[in-house]
Structures are given as C-alpha cells and as structure tokens.
Amino acid sequence: MDHSRHIRLSSTELTADILNGATIYGPGDETIGSVSHVHGVGPTSLIVVDVGGFLGIGAKPVAVPLNQLEFMRDESGGVHAVTTWTKDELKAMPEHIDP
C-alpha cells in the first residue's frame, strides 16, 4: 500500500472514536495488529494494540505511545497507522492489562 498518498490525521482527529479498530502496518507494510482502545487524550495518549491472534482471538494487547504511530486516512476514508515496529517487537512487549 502506498501510504505517501494518504492524508495524515490532525491532532484533533486522534480520538478513540476515530482510532479504535484501525489497522496497524509494520515497516514492511505487513499488518501487525489493530487498535483495541485508547488511554488518555492528546499527544500523551497510549494506544492499546492487539497483536497476533486471528480475528481478535488469541491476540496480545500491548500499549504504545501515540507518537510512535502515524495515523492516516486512505482513499476510501479508512483509518490506519504505520510504525517502525515489527510484529515480533510488539509481541515481545509486556502485555497490557486494563486497571
């Protein structure tokens, strides 16, 4: 997928309503997870990403800082993000457990 043509989300669009469910792509443009939910508001937010599994079953939730993901819209309006992390790097992170 050519992300260079996608429109980056503005800071006001980085809300749970918009980001929940977004697909996360790794450095090789492979799907590495999806946004489960968001903790916080603004640039200090944590994004909980479900990594691995199939259709959400067996996925491991990990929390990553918002600024480590670049969120954008594709030509059809769908929201997704790209990151430099690989699926294996995310899987190696501690599991996120909601308080």
Side-chain angles (χ1 to χ4, degrees):
M1 180 182 301
D2 182 6
H3 300 287
S4 66
R5 295 185 172 169
H6 297 162
I7 300 168
R8 281 24 180 196
L9 296 185
S10 69
S11 59
T12 59
E13 293 178 292
L14 299 174
T15 65
D17 288 341
I18 293 174
L19 303 182
N20 285 341
T23 301
I24 309 296
Y25 293 96
D29 203 35
E30 72 283 5
T31 300
I32 61 172
S34 63
V35 175
S36 168
H37 57 283
V38 178
H39 285 288
V41 178
T44 60
S45 298
L46 288 177
I47 307 297
V48 179
V49 177
D50 284 339
V51 183
F54 182 71
L55 299 175
I57 298 171
K60 177 184 178 181
V62 297
V64 298
L66 172 67
N67 65 3
Q68 297 295 308
L69 300 166
E70 186 174 1
F71 284 95
M72 57 193 77
R73 286 188 196 279
D74 61 23
E75 296 85 354
S76 65
V79 174
H80 62 278
V82 294
T83 186
T84 57
W85 284 321
T86 66
K87 183 182 276 191
D88 288 340
E89 288 172 327
L90 288 177
K91 282 181 170 180
M93 290 181 173
E95 181 173 358
H96 172 77
I97 299 172
D98 282 324

